Amino acid sequence: MFEDQQRDAVEALMKADAEFRRLYQRHKELNSKVDNAEIGVLPVDDMTLTSMKKEKLYAKERLQRMWDEHRAHERQIH
């Protein structure tokens, strides 16, 4: 997530915003778990996998909104 963004800007936002940092870390954790579940390394039932995917998507959408708001605010300042 945010691979196309400037790494420094993402790291600065993570330092400045605890919620962004928490969601970013949670998204990373869920991404890893979903990947492992899909290849069979992490044994989970379909309901659990679906739940993890939904939570991951929610985190991604929230992170994107927060990022967009942050960038819009920066543009207003400059």
Side-chain angles (χ1 to χ4, degrees):
M1 164 154 262
F2 299 110
E3 293 83 10
D4 298 335
Q5 312 305 325
Q6 294 178 354
R7 188 75 189 143
D8 292 342
V10 173
E11 288 178 7
L13 184 53
M14 283 197 294
K15 287 180 184 176
D17 190 323
E19 182 184 4
F20 186 88
R21 181 176 54 252
R22 182 189 63 75
L23 277 173
Y24 187 89
Q25 291 169 344
R26 182 65 179 151
H27 181 270
K28 248 177 105 169
E29 175 188 345
L30 286 165
N31 191 51
S32 178
K33 286 183 176 183
V34 167
D35 287 347
N36 286 335
E38 288 178 336
I39 63 172
V41 175
L42 179 65
V44 296
D45 59 65
D46 288 343
M47 194 182 294
T48 301
L49 180 58
T50 299
S51 178
M52 287 191 308
K53 285 180 176 182
K54 285 180 181 179
E55 184 181 352
K56 180 182 154 197
L57 179 59
Y58 169 80
K60 181 178 180 179
E61 290 171 344
R62 179 70 181 121
L63 284 165
Q64 189 63 56
R65 282 193 307 273
M66 293 172 78
W67 175 256
D68 292 345
E69 290 168 6
H70 171 74
R71 299 303 286 178
H73 181 72
E74 276 191 343
R75 277 187 233 114
Q76 289 176 350
I77 293 173
H78 297 285

